[in-house]
């Protein structure tokens, strides 16, 4: 599980221990919290680091996903605070995202590059099976099963003109952290789903104040307990599901560079992310 603003503690986690994991892609946001929830092993990574000390553009997304892959994570649930771009998605609503519009410009978007080129499909950028497991566990929580997440660079909130434009461009919620996180999870063949927790109406809504950190934090404190409840309910169904998801074989036909032309140093860095296909 990857948690952002307001999600730094998981009630009921047993045998909790922090483990530092090194990555050839740099330093992850923090150590990984390992533990057991209802008998199932869970790993938690605070996306911004404990104390929220890393901004959205400074997060080392590649190191985070690589570290999770190295410790055996197969499914990532992203818990993320977002603004709403729709009247009916009021603060407090949860959205299980199924599409992204990526407006970020200053982030490393791929593990691959010169020496080992790969092209994975992102037509369906999240795992449907994982999303279904989360939806089934959301009894009593105001949740929408489908939505498009607009990912912006930040760290500033939107201008009014930008917010109106994102609404016109078919966005449902807006946030700063799920891209390139979702892209990289797919390259690492990890199932990925986003639970977007609405905290505000961005700045487009004439009947609400412009978004502020104070308002966001106030709603987050209410959302956090609902998020923890959702994770507790979903932990076992996520682990035991047997849908043979295509996410886990995303690299089968993605690597285009032939073995004799691959850069050995990059191949070595990709040992966790793509070793399954590069060793063949």
């Amino acid at each position: 599980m990857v948690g952002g603003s307001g999600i730094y503690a998981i009630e009921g986690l047993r045998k909790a221990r922090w483990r530092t994991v090194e990555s050839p892609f740099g330093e992850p946001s923090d150590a990984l919290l390992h533990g057991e929830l209802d008998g199932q092993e869970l790993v938690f990574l605070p996306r911004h680091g404990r104390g929220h000390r890393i901004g959205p553009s400074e997060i080392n997304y590649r190191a985070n996903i690589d570290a999770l892959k190295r410790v055996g994570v197969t499914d990532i649930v992203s818990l993320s605070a977002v603004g709403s771009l729709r009247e009916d998605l009021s603060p407090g609503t949860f959205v299980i995202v199924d599409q992204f519009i990526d407006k970020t410009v200053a982030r490393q978007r791929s593990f691959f590059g010169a020496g080992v080129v790969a092209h994975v499909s992102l037509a369906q950028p999240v795992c449907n099976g994982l999303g279904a497991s989360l939806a089934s566990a959301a009894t009593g929580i105001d949740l929408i099963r489908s939505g498009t997440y607009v990912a912006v660079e930040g760290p500033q909130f939107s201008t009014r003109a930008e917010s109106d434009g994102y609404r016109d461009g078919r966005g449902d919620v807006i946030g700063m952290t799920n891209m390139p996180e979702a892209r990289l999870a797919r390259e690492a063949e990890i199932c990925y789903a986003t639970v977007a927790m609405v905290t505000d109406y961005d700045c487009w809504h004439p009947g609400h104040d412009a978004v502020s950190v104070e308002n966001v934090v106030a709603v987050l404190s209410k959302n956090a307990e609902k998020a923890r409840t959702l994770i507790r309910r979903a932990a076992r169904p996520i682990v035991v599901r047997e849908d043979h998801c295509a996410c886990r074989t995303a690299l089968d036909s993605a690597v285009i560079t032939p073995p004799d032309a691959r850069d050995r140093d990059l191949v070595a860095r990709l040992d966790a992310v793509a070793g399954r296909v590069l060793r063949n």
Side-chain angles (χ1 to χ4, degrees):
M1 183 174 72
V2 178
S5 308
I7 309 296
Y8 296 107
I10 305 170
E11 185 179 341
L13 191 69
R14 299 180 61 254
K15 300 180 180 179
R17 61 203 182 278
W18 289 92
R19 173 184 173 188
T20 299
V21 179
E22 295 184 354
S23 167
F25 293 95
E27 187 176 351
S29 294
D30 208 324
L32 305 183
L33 176 62
H34 292 247
E36 290 184 6
L37 190 64
D38 293 336
Q40 301 297 333
E41 185 176 2
L42 182 145
V43 180
F44 174 67
L45 173 63
R47 183 187 283 120
H48 298 280
R50 283 167 285 180
H52 205 112
R53 53 189 173 76
I54 306 172
S57 297
E58 285 71 47
I59 293 170
N60 190 336
Y61 295 93
R62 295 197 299 178
N64 285 352
I65 298 299
D66 178 78
L68 291 168
K69 180 77 172 186
R70 287 181 184 278
V71 300
V73 168
T74 59
D75 302 83
I76 294 176
V77 176
S78 165
L79 297 170
S80 305
V82 297
S84 170
L85 298 173
R86 284 171 38 187
E87 182 82 45
D88 60 322
L89 296 180
S90 58
T93 305
F94 284 19
V95 181
I96 297 181
V97 171
D98 56 5
Q99 285 292 333
F100 293 96
I101 297 173
D102 190 356
K103 297 287 186 178
T104 64
V105 296
R107 306 176 185 186
Q108 294 285 347
R109 298 154 70 94
S110 177
F111 289 109
F112 299 91
V116 183
V117 177
H119 305 283
V120 301
S121 172
L122 280 175
Q124 303 297 329
V126 297
C127 177
N128 185 63
L130 185 53
S133 292
L134 291 165
S136 67
T139 304
I141 296 174
D142 186 8
L143 181 141
I144 304 298
R145 179 64 178 85
S146 176
T148 296
Y149 178 122
V150 180
V152 296
E153 191 65 46
Q156 302 87 358
F157 295 123
S158 305
T159 68
R160 176 64 181 272
E162 288 171 334
S163 192
D164 287 340
Y166 300 141
R167 279 166 48 78
D168 293 342
R170 294 185 144 184
D172 296 307
V173 296
I174 181 170
M176 301 179 188
T177 58
N178 277 205
M179 281 292 180
E181 196 172 82
R183 295 181 184 276
L184 295 167
R186 179 58 53 84
E187 287 189 342
E189 299 186 319
I190 300 175
C191 293
Y192 182 93
T194 291
V195 178
M197 304 178 293
V198 176
T199 60
D200 57 84
Y201 278 111
D202 204 35
C203 64
W204 64 268
H205 199 301
H208 293 262
D209 295 333
V211 59
S212 70
V213 170
E214 182 180 5
N215 292 340
V216 167
V217 171
V219 179
L220 273 175
S221 64
K222 299 177 182 178
N223 281 351
E225 180 53 39
K226 291 192 292 184
R228 287 189 284 266
T229 297
L230 178 60
I231 291 302
R232 286 196 299 270
R233 292 176 183 170
R236 184 174 295 276
I238 286 173
V239 171
V240 303
R241 66 191 181 88
E242 297 179 357
D243 52 11
H244 305 290
C245 186
C247 303
R248 306 198 196 283
T249 55
L251 294 177
D252 274 0
S253 57
V255 179
I256 196 170
T257 307
D260 59 355
R262 294 172 186 168
D263 178 88
R264 292 183 179 180
D265 290 338
L266 182 51
V267 168
R269 295 174 75 196
L270 290 165
D271 62 329
V273 167
R276 183 184 72 82
V277 295
L278 295 181
R279 284 190 292 267
N280 296 335

